Amino acid sequence: MDEQKEWISVVKKESLILLYLFIALVVIFKIVFYNEGIWTILRTVFGIFWLYLLPGFSIMYLWREKLDFLERLIFGTVLGMAIAGLSSYYITLFTGSIRYQFIIIPILAEIVAFILLAYQNRRQKQTQEQ
């Protein structure tokens, strides 16, 4: 139970940092693209977060003990870009065009990350019990 509270506190802390990063990116994009409306800026930054940052960052939770937050953020964003690009390409190649790839691919990456984390935690508990 104590380990669960630790995970919750880590996720809350890192979610707050990601929220600050989102706000900072909105401000930076608004400065750079000063002629665009705020709604366009918000959609663009949210799209970057949704497609690239969140899927890759959640998969990088597998290496939480080995990498710090900034390293996981950078590598996770690059990993999210690779996952989104490659999976979109192969889904389109094999099935034709799927209309909602931008929704399906990040959700699938999050589900895979959750399954891998659960498997890793269960395996660690089994090795600790032995």
Side-chain angles (χ1 to χ4, degrees), residues 15 17 44-45 65 100 108 123:
S15 297
I17 293 171
T44 303
V45 173
E65 293 86 19
Y100 299 105
L108 286 177
R123 218 168 117 209

Side-chain angles (χ1 to χ4, degrees), residues 23-82:
I23 293 169
L25 278 177
V26 167
V27 170
I28 290 170
F29 270 55
K30 186 60 183 165
I31 291 170
V32 172
F33 302 108
Y34 59 90
N35 285 333
E36 294 296 326
I38 190 69
W39 186 246
T40 304
I41 300 289
L42 284 171
R43 283 189 343 209
T44 303
V45 173
F46 180 75
I48 291 170
F49 263 72
W50 176 252
L51 282 174
Y52 306 131
L53 196 135
L54 292 179
F57 185 73
S58 61
I59 290 175
M60 292 301 291
Y61 258 101
L62 294 169
W63 295 279
R64 187 176 71 87
E65 293 86 19
K66 297 176 185 169
L67 300 172
D68 67 345
F69 178 79
L70 188 59
E71 291 172 334
R72 285 185 291 125
L73 183 71
I74 293 169
F75 293 144
T77 304
V78 173
L79 179 65
M81 288 178 180

